[in-house]
Amino acid sequence: MEQIYTFGNYLKNKFGCKVYKVGINISGFTCPNIDGTVAKGGCTFCENDSFSASTGETQELKGFHLNLDSKTNPNLDKQLAQLEIQFKAISKRQREEYGAQKFLVYFQSFTNTYAPFETLKALYDKALTFDDVVGLSIGTRSDSITEETLDYLAKLNLKKEIWIEFGIQSVYDETLLKINRGHDSANVKEWILKTKSKGLHVCGHLIFGLPDETKEMMLQTAKEAYAWGIDSVKYHPLYVVKKTALANDFLKRKFTPISEDEYLDVLVEAIKMKPQNVSVQRVTAGIDDNSLLSPDWCRDKNTQIKNINAALKPFGLKY
């Protein structure tokens, strides 16, 4: 059986030890289709309140939001403190529980380039000073990053490992409109190509099971994302959580989530067509609490991975 090339494989090969991503949530970050810049309400599947800077170690700064045009940031020192407190607590657990030796600081929740450049620079620079940090991974949207930020990250990338994670979701504009994404596919392509041209590493997020998409459409999204030159990929099934626009459609029977069999079918095909050099960071997603409305198969991660490996086995592959 051939193991799929994972992000863990990539990091182990490059750094010669166990490298873990430390997920960080910083208060003040939001999204341009939540704050009304390009749309309101966020993506239809996104439960905005679930993104919180409180991880048990830090308190969220209520009512504080930045964007690209913010002139001042009165809470930068508090954000830097949040960053340090979270990194120390989470990396300590990862060392003790998983034997982690090196770390990527992962700016995870919301859109982590959607703030004034000086704020971003301060946070990125601070993260790179922590013990055993080899680089950054920055989750963002293609309509929320500037040339100035890209150029600075490209400079950092000369000495550190810098990744930018873009939510691609779908290459179909009609789908992006249905999910209230707030930008089109051309925008994603433009900024992924710009990011790659500056020598930065790109991870693309793909969602299978978006409203009215066929298997052929989902696979076309994967095919085009690979062609744009992404270095790594995260595959997600679309699941429905409470307090979202998608939940309203689901309850009104206007949306039917993807079945596990359908997801396995498209996932295996997407993996089979994936270029060998593209690492895989995630093959599924879900949540096991009472906020999940559907589908139930997204509750148990262990069962999902077991079923994914069973689907891959006939093709000589394993995750």
Side-chain angles (χ1 to χ4, degrees), residues 55-102:
T55 61
E57 287 87 24
T58 59
Q59 288 289 315
E60 185 176 6
L61 302 172
K62 296 287 187 181
F64 166 58
H65 300 295
L66 298 167
N67 60 48
L68 294 177
D69 298 320
S70 298
K71 302 301 181 188
T72 60
N73 180 358
N75 289 307
L76 179 57
D77 286 344
K78 292 179 180 178
Q79 290 180 310
L80 292 168
Q82 283 184 344
L83 170 62
E84 185 165 8
I85 291 166
Q86 289 180 54
F87 175 79
K88 286 183 175 178
I90 297 168
S91 63
K92 182 174 185 286
R93 287 199 296 267
Q94 290 176 334
R95 286 185 195 276
E96 293 171 353
E97 295 179 23
Y98 307 113
Q101 295 164 282
K102 302 286 185 183

Side-chain angles (χ1 to χ4, degrees), residues 23 51 62 83 165 169 171-172 261:
F51 287 130
K62 296 287 187 181
L83 170 62
E165 301 196 22
Q169 322 311 12
V171 297
Y172 290 90
D261 285 345

Side-chain angles (χ1 to χ4, degrees), residues 57 99 123 215 222 238 256 289:
E57 287 87 24
L123 288 166
K215 175 184 175 182
L238 182 61
T256 301
D289 63 34

Side-chain angles (χ1 to χ4, degrees), residues 71-305:
K71 302 301 181 188
T72 60
N73 180 358
N75 289 307
L76 179 57
D77 286 344
K78 292 179 180 178
Q79 290 180 310
L80 292 168
Q82 283 184 344
L83 170 62
E84 185 165 8
I85 291 166
Q86 289 180 54
F87 175 79
K88 286 183 175 178
I90 297 168
S91 63
K92 182 174 185 286
R93 287 199 296 267
Q94 290 176 334
R95 286 185 195 276
E96 293 171 353
E97 295 179 23
Y98 307 113
Q101 295 164 282
K102 302 286 185 183
F103 304 95
L104 284 177
V105 178
Y106 178 24
F107 291 90
Q108 183 173 18
S109 295
F110 287 120
T111 306
N112 293 277
T113 58
Y114 191 56
F117 175 72
E118 291 305 320
T119 291
L120 300 176
K121 182 178 182 297
L123 288 166
Y124 300 158
D125 287 352
K126 178 75 171 178
L128 290 173
T129 68
F130 299 147
D131 290 344
D132 297 318
V133 166
V134 297
L136 311 175
S137 192
I138 301 163
T140 192
R141 290 164 52 98
S142 59
D143 61 354
S144 305
I145 190 166
T146 66
E147 294 273 5
E148 184 179 29
T149 297
L150 271 189
D151 287 340
Y152 186 69
L153 291 172
K155 181 180 175 182
L156 293 179
N157 192 52
L158 296 175
K159 294 184 178 180
K160 295 289 186 176
E161 180 87 1
I162 308 296
W163 284 78
I164 300 183
E165 301 196 22
F166 285 108
I168 298 171
Q169 322 311 12
S170 174
V171 297
Y172 290 90
D173 288 346
E174 61 266 37
T175 299
L176 298 180
L177 192 61
K178 286 173 187 172
I179 64 173
N180 196 41
R181 185 67 186 170
H183 62 70
D184 60 13
S185 180
N187 181 262
V188 188
K189 179 180 179 180
E190 175 190 355
W191 283 91
I192 286 179
L193 294 179
K194 279 185 181 181
T195 303
K196 289 295 301 171
S197 74
K198 295 179 186 295
L200 292 158
H201 308 286
V202 171
C203 176
H205 293 220
L206 311 181
I207 297 180
F208 297 149
L210 289 165
D212 302 319
E213 287 211 340
T214 63
K215 175 184 175 182
E216 290 71 28
M217 293 170 74
M218 298 176 216
L219 292 176
Q220 185 63 25
T221 288
K223 183 178 179 180
E224 292 194 31
Y226 301 150
W228 296 342
I230 64 172
D231 303 283
S232 193
V233 62
K234 289 184 178 180
Y235 306 106
H236 304 251
L238 182 61
Y239 56 91
V240 186
V241 295
K242 295 175 183 176
K243 300 181 183 178
T244 62
L246 189 66
N248 294 336
D249 286 344
F250 171 72
L251 294 171
K252 293 174 183 175
R253 304 197 177 189
K254 293 180 179 179
F255 173 72
T256 301
I258 192 168
S259 72
E260 186 170 23
D261 285 345
E262 290 169 328
Y263 183 72
L264 291 172
D265 186 30
V266 71
L267 176 68
V268 169
E269 290 300 315
I271 289 172
K272 284 166 58 183
M273 71 166 67
K274 179 186 68 66
Q276 288 283 70
N277 65 297
V278 176
S279 65
V280 177
Q281 295 200 31
R282 179 186 288 274
V283 290
T284 190
I287 187 168
D288 187 19
D289 63 34
N290 63 11
S291 69
L292 179 69
L293 289 178
S294 186
D296 277 341
W297 64 266
C298 283
R299 289 188 184 280
D300 189 332
K301 181 79 176 291
N302 291 332
T303 300
Q304 288 182 68
I305 297 297

